[in-house]
Amino acid sequence: MTRTIVIIGGSSGIGHAIACGFTRQENSHVIATGIEASAPEGFAGDLLEFQSLDVGNTAAVKAFFSTLDRLDVLVNCAGIIRRNGEEFTASGFEQVIDINLNGTLRCCEAAKPLLARNGGCIINTASMLTFFGSAFSPAYSASKGGIGQLTRSLASAWASENIRVNAIAPGWIKTDLTAALEKNTERSAQIIARTPMQRWGNPDDLVGPALFLASDAAGFVTGALLPVDGGYSAN
Ligand code: NAD
């Protein structure tokens, strides 16, 4: 039996690393989606199938899942952040919530019938800003706080249909999303100082936790938010 694994927002960064991680398991067909029109530079096209998908577009999300014959694992990794005060405006706030939070729900809803057929699971992507506020990114923080409650709520609601729903909560990981922050030497030093393991994370640090949550070893785990943060949230 070949498992079908879909990584939404799997074209770069954390999602891409997780998608590549799933290909190392036997009998896995891995589809990675992204907002880009075609697979971006660095995409592992030899391992992964790429599909363009905007999670802000409900019809496109439904159409994408309707093409699948089966689905065992859905990883929701699409996410954006807006800087320079944009998230303090109503339009900037709505845009970030719509992609990060509503987009996750759109994919969960469209995937649910397929997942219910095989006892599948969902892994959402939370954040340290699921647990803490941010003076710079109110929309991103609100969206990630919402991911925590959405994850717990869907876990409760869908357990009876044999669907597990969990989230990974990455700490500070080197990707395009955080490149500007990492280049800010003062902020970057503050992050490292607060992280007990004294470093930024890499996208590959999220692979093992995602594989675990999608495995039979996590068969009694649902509604969990798993920090992968070098101890940041424990400090
Ligand atoms: P990234 O920019 O490398 O990846 C973002 C992904 O989202 C890409 O695949 C992109 O195509 C996709 N995407 C963006 N807009 C989209 C849309 N409208 N529709 C569909 N896909 C869209 O960034 P990343 O750091 O790898 O982020 C991945 C996830 O991890 C995000 O949810 C982010 O919030 C979360 N996260 C990242 C960090 C970090 O430190 N990098 C920490 C906590 C959580």
Side-chain angles (χ1 to χ4, degrees):
M1 183 262 298
T2 298
R3 291 204 314 168
T4 299
I5 292 119
V6 167
I7 317 290
I8 302 292
S11 59
S12 67
I14 293 170
H16 185 253
I18 290 173
C20 290
F22 273 106
T23 66
R24 293 197 282 272
Q25 297 196 317
E26 276 180 24
N27 301 324
S28 297
H29 173 213
V30 186
I31 304 167
T33 77
I35 188 68
E36 303 82 4
S38 58
E41 203 184 320
F43 184 82
D46 50 334
L47 298 174
L48 302 168
E49 179 183 333
F50 174 82
Q51 293 211 26
S52 178
L53 177 64
D54 179 358
V55 299
N57 182 335
T58 304
V61 169
K62 284 185 180 161
F64 167 75
F65 284 99
S66 74
T67 63
L68 302 178
D69 294 332
R70 72 173 285 148
L71 181 61
D72 298 274
V73 182
L74 167 66
V75 181
N76 286 304
C77 224
I80 57 171
I81 195 165
R82 292 285 174 257
R83 295 204 163 80
N84 305 319
E86 282 177 54
E87 292 194 4
F88 288 90
T89 67
S91 64
F93 192 91
E94 280 170 21
Q95 189 191 13
V96 173
I97 295 284
D98 192 54
I99 299 308
N100 295 7
L101 183 56
N102 300 347
T104 296
L105 187 271
R106 281 185 193 103
C107 293
C108 291
E109 184 193 14
K112 185 188 170 209
L114 285 163
L115 291 168
R117 273 191 225 156
N118 307 309
C121 72
I122 296 172
I123 301 171
N124 293 327
T125 307
S127 163
M128 290 302 100
L129 300 180
T130 299
F131 313 116
F132 308 113
S134 161
F136 310 104
S137 317
Y140 185 88
S141 294
S143 75
K144 293 300 179 176
I147 288 290
Q149 293 303 66
L150 177 65
T151 299
R152 294 184 177 108
S153 300
L154 295 184
S156 300
W158 295 354
S160 59
E161 299 187 54
N162 211 14
I163 300 173
R164 295 183 301 106
V165 188
N166 294 294
I168 46 172
W172 305 94
I173 312 297
K174 293 181 188 189
T175 67
D176 292 349
L177 192 87
T178 52
L181 188 58
E182 199 200 343
K183 275 193 205 122
N184 180 331
T185 44
E186 192 186 342
R187 285 282 295 122
S188 181
Q190 287 167 352
I191 287 166
I192 292 171
R194 183 173 164 178
T195 303
M197 292 185 75
Q198 293 283 295
R199 67 169 174 88
W200 277 72
N202 298 305
D204 280 343
D205 288 319
L206 280 302
V207 174
L211 294 182
F212 162 68
L213 288 173
S215 74
D216 289 345
F220 198 49
V221 181
T222 197
L225 310 183
L226 176 56
V228 186
D229 62 352
Y232 186 96
S233 59
N235 198 11

